[in-house]
Amino acid sequence: MLTRRDAAIALDIPLEMAARHGIPARLSEAELRALIAEPPAWLAQSKANRTGKRPVWLHLTCTVCGFTEAVRPKKWWPDFDFLYCASHPARELPPTAPGCVRCEYEEVGTRLTGVVDEPGAPSA
């Protein structure tokens, strides 16, 4: 059995939309396959409206151990160079490129920290 959240991720719709349109709290894989194969009008319209826009769900993966989490992206997130989960210190990431400054963004998902290596200020 899949949860409503699992179904929302598979259908690439917000969890709120899944609840609003009657996706049950638990459904079988066969029921999910049927929704994908023959989407109701509201689902087909939702997909048609999102062409070229940012995704509803992102799959984030820890660079160190491969822990993966599906999350709703936030508008303020940059394109992360690396992600690491709470199980690892930042020193386990690949080294910062020469001339770059490492910026960290905490609370990306439930257990991840996002990392961006930005060009540093030129030295005087």
Side-chain angles (χ1 to χ4, degrees):
M1 293 299 278
L2 302 170
T3 64
R4 181 182 292 140
R5 183 176 192 277
D6 295 332
I9 292 168
L11 297 169
D12 197 30
I13 60 173
L15 188 56
E16 301 80 15
M17 181 182 282
R20 183 173 54 245
H21 289 286
I23 304 272
R26 298 236 178 248
L27 68 160
S28 70
E29 289 185 27
E31 291 170 315
L32 177 61
R33 282 192 303 271
L35 276 172
I36 292 170
E38 295 183 33
W42 63 267
L43 182 56
Q45 185 65 46
S46 172
K47 290 188 181 292
N49 289 344
R50 278 188 284 124
T51 306
K53 295 182 181 175
R54 66 187 183 102
V56 176
W57 294 93
L58 285 179
H59 296 275
L60 304 176
T61 303
C62 175
T63 303
V64 179
C65 69
F67 165 78
T68 301
E69 181 176 21
V71 297
R72 297 286 307 275
K74 306 295 183 232
K75 290 180 182 178
W76 57 267
W77 286 357
D79 289 331
F80 298 116
D81 294 314
F82 305 104
L83 292 155
Y84 66 96
C85 65
S87 303
H88 308 284
R91 68 177 179 268
E92 291 186 35
L93 292 173
T96 306
C100 289
V101 175
R102 185 157 278 176
C103 301
E104 294 189 0
Y105 298 84
E106 296 179 349
E107 299 179 10
V108 175
T110 60
R111 300 182 48 201
L112 295 164
T113 299
V115 175
V116 177
D117 288 345
E118 298 177 342
S123 27

